[in-house]
Amino acid sequence: MYSEYQHLIDLSDYPVSWWTKIVELGEKIYNNPSEYAHVCDGKIMATLFYEPSTRTQMSFQTAMIRLGGQIIGFDNPANSSVAKGETIKDTTKIVSNYADVLVMRHPIAGASKAASLTTDCSVINAGDGGHLHPTQTLTDLLTLKIEKHTLSGLTIGMCGDLLNGRTVHSLCKALSQFKDNKFIFISTSQLGMPPYIKDIIKASGSTYEEANTIEEVIGKLDVLYMTRIQQERFASEEEYLAQKNTYVLDHQKMQKAKQDMIVMHPLPRVDEITVDVDNDKRAMYFTQAKYGMYVRMALIMTILGEKKRSETLKGKVIAGVRCDNPNCITNHEEYLPKSFRVSGDGTLLECEYCDERKLI
Ligand code: NCD
């Protein structure tokens, strides 16, 4: 299935050279923003945020404004026809008649992909439930490029809610495509990295190990990527409280880290990094958020400039088979074609919207 527009739903839909070009352009814009002040004159970007956001939404909006374009959208679906029960298909189809590019965040996995099947403009995934967040990954890659001068040969610790944290899923998929990166996952057993991400790392030739505490591994790391426990993705308050406060990075733990290790965090921070770390020169999270605007300028320019069509669904529609993930968009919007990739030597089906696996 094809769309006449170019979308960014998952970075893996593109060759690595495409993303590195965007990261390089982001760095150029960062060094000389005024040169790009009119490249999107006359263009309109819509931000459809069905879930809370500060950085992603505002950095996209300021990115478009700094490129000379204009913005429309909502950040409270209760004020739009969504509140009257309108489907994603109808809302995004209509808005795609008004805008040249649509940036969408939604609490359900696969929502942006679902929109991209029928819109009449490009769609950018700004976070789909606990699944993926490709533009945070572009932000993270630009941060690594500027601050570590490389995207290869790094030892990256990822800590916190690795199960529900979409930023770490997208970042692992991306960094495993560069040479000699090594991942160390620091989480409780309940909030570990999903098996499908571990399999992608193994297949790429990168390696990973797992650890229980920050202290036991911090001395080996080039990058420590902290994440918050994703309260909104837990079934109950008790389950969230049982995980809360397990991992806290503080000034004392930072003493054991290398002098050139950097601390990253997609933000918002809840309590996983104490404020006494903020003044450490290795704390990179506020600068990281600033880089996000420049890389999003590069992405908007690229998507609007290239005008390529996209292959939206590549898998098989198998009669009567549904995705087992209750948080998959195909279980919320019935009209969507349910489409699966066949993997694991023909024994597994992977949902093309949310990556949930089931045995055949
Ligand atoms: C992240 C997100 O929304 O996934 N924030 C962001 O986009 N900068 C991380 C989070 O919410 O924990």
Side-chain angles (χ1 to χ4, degrees):
M1 194 169 166
Y2 283 90
S3 152
E4 288 311 308
Y5 300 90
Q6 186 173 16
H7 308 292
L8 173 58
I9 306 302
D10 177 348
L11 285 172
S12 314
D13 294 333
Y14 290 93
V16 178
S17 57
W18 188 82
W19 347 319
T20 46
K21 252 182 26 209
I22 291 174
V23 172
E24 279 161 18
L25 180 59
E27 191 172 8
K28 277 194 200 151
I29 299 174
Y30 170 69
N31 288 322
N32 202 351
S34 59
E35 213 174 275
Y36 300 86
H38 295 287
V39 297
C40 286
D41 280 357
K43 298 285 184 199
I44 296 176
M45 178 185 79
T47 48
L48 302 187
F49 276 59
Y50 294 73
E51 221 188 22
S53 169
T54 303
R55 275 149 294 273
T56 306
Q57 184 183 211
M58 289 196 196
S59 66
F60 259 114
Q61 292 176 337
T62 47
M64 189 50 154
I65 292 168
R66 283 169 190 267
L67 292 169
Q70 301 198 52
I71 55 170
I72 58 167
F74 60 70
D75 57 13
N76 180 0
N79 291 339
S80 75
S81 284
V82 173
K84 301 178 188 167
E86 189 168 59
T87 59
I88 286 179
K89 177 180 179 179
D90 289 4
T91 306
T92 57
K93 179 89 179 160
I94 297 303
V95 178
S96 74
N97 290 319
Y98 307 149
D100 301 288
V101 55
L102 202 156
V103 178
M104 182 172 167
R105 168 170 289 189
H106 198 280
I108 305 292
S112 309
K113 187 171 191 80
S116 74
L117 305 184
T118 40
T119 52
D120 294 310
C121 78
S122 298
V123 176
I124 297 176
N125 179 7
D128 60 330
H131 184 220
L132 296 173
H133 194 346
T135 71
Q136 180 64 44
T137 296
L138 291 172
T139 302
D140 299 341
L141 295 180
L142 180 59
T143 306
L144 291 172
K145 179 147 192 305
I146 295 179
E147 300 298 335
K148 299 299 290 179
H149 313 291
T150 182
L151 300 177
S152 312
L154 295 167
T155 301
I156 306 124
M158 293 185 171
C159 177
D161 189 347
L162 308 184
L163 178 68
N164 301 300
R166 55 195 171 197
T167 64
V168 285
H169 302 162
S170 288
L171 186 57
C172 276
K173 286 175 76 171
L175 283 177
S176 64
Q177 300 305 306
F178 295 89
K179 269 184 71 180
D180 299 329
N181 286 323
K182 185 174 165 191
F183 300 92
I184 304 185
F185 299 139
I186 311 153
S187 72
T188 61
S189 58
Q190 293 90 336
L191 297 183
M193 194 56 89
Y196 88 94
I197 298 284
K198 292 179 177 171
D199 286 349
I200 291 172
I201 294 173
K202 278 189 243 162
S204 72
S206 300
T207 57
Y208 70 83
E209 59 184 78
E210 288 169 298
N212 292 320
T213 65
I214 297 176
E215 294 90 315
E216 70 194 84
V217 294
I218 194 166
K220 302 195 239 180
L221 303 178
D222 301 309
V223 179
L224 175 55
Y225 196 103
M226 296 295 296
T227 63
R228 78 183 163 94
I229 307 297
Q230 307 267 307
Q231 179 173 11
E232 68 277 28
R233 315 232 184 266
F234 281 75
S236 69
E237 176 84 4
E238 295 80 73
E239 284 171 73
Y240 167 65
L241 292 175
Q243 298 292 332
K244 196 178 176 277
N245 286 327
T246 312
Y247 297 106
V248 179
L249 180 67
D250 57 17
H251 175 69
Q252 204 186 340
K253 294 187 185 110
M254 286 296 285
Q255 306 297 313
K256 296 188 178 157
K258 291 188 203 168
Q259 276 314 302
D260 64 350
M261 184 193 83
I262 61 170
V263 182
M264 295 173 67
H265 191 310
L267 303 177
R269 149 174 69 181
V270 181
D271 46 18
E272 57 281 351
I273 303 180
T274 57
V275 289
D276 60 7
V277 179
D278 296 355
N279 295 329
D280 190 308
K281 68 175 182 13
R282 297 168 290 183
M284 210 46 68
Y285 27 94
F286 297 127
T287 314
Q288 182 185 353
K290 183 174 73 180
Y291 293 144
M293 182 180 70
Y294 295 103
V295 91
R296 289 181 173 110
M297 288 171 79
L299 174 66
I300 296 167
M301 266 179 71
T302 306
I303 289 260
L304 290 181
E306 285 186 341
K307 302 246 178 296
K308 282 189 197 144
R309 67 180 198 151
S310 310
E311 189 170 9
T312 47
L313 289 178
K314 303 175 192 159
K316 277 190 179 172
V317 176
I318 303 168
V321 177
R322 304 184 67 97
C323 176
D324 294 335
N325 176 5
N327 291 319
C328 174
I329 196 68
T330 58
N331 289 318
H332 292 256
E333 307 250 335
E334 277 302 323
Y335 56 84
L336 290 167
K338 291 147 191 69
S339 179
F340 299 89
R341 291 182 296 264
V342 182
S343 69
D345 298 330
T347 56
L348 281 178
L349 289 182
E350 277 173 5
C351 172
E352 262 204 280
Y353 296 82
C354 73
D355 293 305
E356 177 84 6
R357 293 161 157 189
K358 70 196 281 166
L359 282 169
I360 295 178

